[in-house]
Amino acid sequence: PVVSSTPVTPGDEPPLKTPWESLVPPEDLAGWKILGGTARFRVEDSVVIGQTTTGSPNTWLTTDRQFGDFELEYEFPCDTSLNSGVQIRSEARGGSARGFQVEIDVDDKRKRFWSAGLYEEGDRGWIDDLKDNPEARAAHKPLDWNHVRVMAVGAHMQTWLNGVPAAEVFDTRRLSGFIGLQVHGVGNRKEPLEIRWRGLRIRDLGSHYWSPMTLPPQNG
């Protein structure tokens, strides 16, 4: 069985009494930590800016706080030569992030545009890409700000890109973890590339967890 600390069930909209709170890091990044490589993060006018560095592997700016069920919103533009994403329900494993990632895929040469698809970093790879969702791919604005909404309630996870439904999965493997902003590694490329996030906000809806249950004996 799944037990919740708040009165929500998979598929429910968040209770109206649950307030939004800003998830924008302070300028000194207190309450967050850098995981993985050496990419640079800074905050200017409530915009989080991630910048690549030469020879660095993937780098994440991750919350100290853990989140289980939540509604998350943010906007991003990303250099069209860079890949990125937002980790949810993730953990640090071997100097890297492991867990679900809401993809930021803006490669104009490849023209795949799977932003807001769900990928599992460090594990199974793509959980729900957008190859069969032309509406979500068409909603992408490669050179402009894009709005992403994420709902995670129990095993049910959904994403929207600029108001268009993108990914939807039911997965019980990961029910909580940190949220992290990714700057993808770019190998030996010397020219810095940037990804930006603004409007980061979240509604904390508590958490679900697995609990043992004793079944009564059955006659016969």
Side-chain angles (χ1 to χ4, degrees), residues 1-10 67-69 89 152-156 171-177 205-213:
V2 178
V3 180
S4 176
S5 60
T6 57
V8 293
T9 56
F67 295 92
D69 296 353
R89 292 181 169 180
V153 179
H156 191 195
D171 195 299
T172 61
R173 181 178 290 194
R174 303 179 186 279
L175 295 178
S176 65
L205 304 178
S207 61
H208 284 71
Y209 57 91
W210 292 109
S211 176
M213 182 176 70

Side-chain angles (χ1 to χ4, degrees), residues 4-197:
S4 176
S5 60
T6 57
V8 293
T9 56
D12 281 351
E13 285 296 310
L16 295 178
K17 65 181 180 181
T18 305
W20 285 103
E21 55 182 297
S22 173
L23 200 63
V24 177
E27 291 188 2
D28 63 359
L29 304 183
W32 296 67
K33 63 182 64 172
I34 293 179
L35 172 67
T38 59
R40 301 184 180 95
F41 291 90
R42 67 186 190 276
V43 179
E44 297 179 358
D45 297 325
S46 297
V47 176
V48 185
I49 303 167
Q51 186 179 77
T52 61
T53 56
T54 302
S56 172
N58 294 351
T59 310
W60 293 267
L61 180 65
T62 69
T63 60
D64 291 338
R65 182 175 165 188
Q66 303 285 294
F67 295 92
D69 296 353
F70 58 84
E71 181 177 13
L72 172 69
E73 290 188 345
Y74 55 88
E75 293 180 276
F76 72 86
C78 184
D79 192 291
T80 56
S81 297
L82 183 63
N83 179 275
S84 184
V86 174
Q87 297 292 140
I88 60 172
R89 292 181 169 180
S90 296
E91 61 182 330
R93 185 69 64 87
S96 183
R98 185 174 183 180
F100 296 119
Q101 182 183 122
V102 183
E103 183 75 8
I104 294 176
D105 181 13
V106 299
D107 191 335
D108 193 46
K109 292 182 179 178
R110 184 166 50 186
K111 296 188 182 300
R112 188 175 65 177
F113 303 141
W114 286 355
S115 290
L118 278 172
Y119 182 87
E120 189 173 36
E121 182 80 21
D123 203 330
R124 294 170 290 175
W126 282 105
I127 305 298
D128 189 1
D129 58 39
L130 302 184
K131 65 178 181 291
D132 296 323
N133 190 339
E135 293 82 7
R137 297 199 309 272
H140 198 282
K141 299 180 287 187
L143 301 177
D144 202 350
W145 289 93
N146 292 269
H147 179 270
V148 176
R149 177 184 177 224
V150 183
M151 279 290 298
V153 179
H156 191 195
M157 291 180 290
Q158 299 169 273
T159 69
W160 292 259
L161 179 66
N162 295 321
V164 177
E168 181 173 17
V169 302
F170 290 85
D171 195 299
T172 61
R173 181 178 290 194
R174 303 179 186 279
L175 295 178
S176 65
F178 62 63
I179 290 174
L181 310 178
Q182 185 202 56
V183 173
H184 204 282
V186 291
N188 294 322
R189 181 168 182 157
K190 295 182 179 180
E191 175 191 358
L193 304 175
E194 288 189 348
I195 165 73
R196 296 179 177 230
W197 294 270

